[in-house]
Amino acid sequence: MSRRDHGAQAERTGLAWRRTALAATACTLLLLHAAARRDWGTAVVPVAFAGAMVITFVVAGAIRERALRRPGTPKPLNRVLAVTASALVVATAVALIAVR
């Protein structure tokens, strides 16, 4: 893989993580709106989890993009991706339970 291709891969990966974080932010705002309409209470729990997910996406994306921009072959970030995916599953489950 040439150096130029390596930079393009890092940029595409960074953009994908940013799009995911932006979509998660939109969902968080929708949950926040729903919590406000329900007079807060337990409806705040999914908002907190969703907010944590947004932060996780931003941090994981920055770490991954930085790793891809380093010279040499980037190491896979299996741990970061596994934690992100696990947190997403937990946040989704909490949001589904709280909405019911």
Side-chain angles (χ1 to χ4, degrees), residues 1 18-19 25 27-28 32 36-37 41-42 44 47 57-59 61 65 71-73 78-79 86 97:
M1 182 181 290
R18 285 186 199 107
R19 281 191 307 269
T25 301
C27 291
T28 302
L32 184 65
R37 290 184 57 104
T42 59
V44 174
V47 176
F57 284 139
V58 170
V59 170
E65 186 175 2
T73 305
N78 295 336
R79 229 177 293 137
S86 299
I97 291 168

Side-chain angles (χ1 to χ4, degrees), residues 69-95:
R69 289 193 185 278
R70 282 191 207 116
T73 305
K75 296 178 183 174
L77 295 177
N78 295 336
R79 229 177 293 137
V80 172
L81 297 176
V83 168
T84 303
S86 299
L88 178 61
V89 169
V90 169
T92 303
V94 169

Side-chain angles (χ1 to χ4, degrees), residues 10-68:
E11 185 176 353
R12 283 190 307 270
T13 300
L15 289 171
W17 278 98
R18 285 186 199 107
R19 281 191 307 269
T20 303
L22 183 61
T25 301
C27 291
T28 302
L29 292 174
L30 289 171
L31 287 170
L32 184 65
H33 176 72
R37 290 184 57 104
R38 292 181 178 200
D39 297 325
W40 305 101
T42 59
V44 174
V45 174
V47 176
F49 275 103
M53 282 309 306
V54 170
I55 293 168
T56 303
F57 284 139
V58 170
V59 170
I63 290 170
R64 184 63 179 152
E65 186 175 2
R66 201 169 299 132
L68 288 173

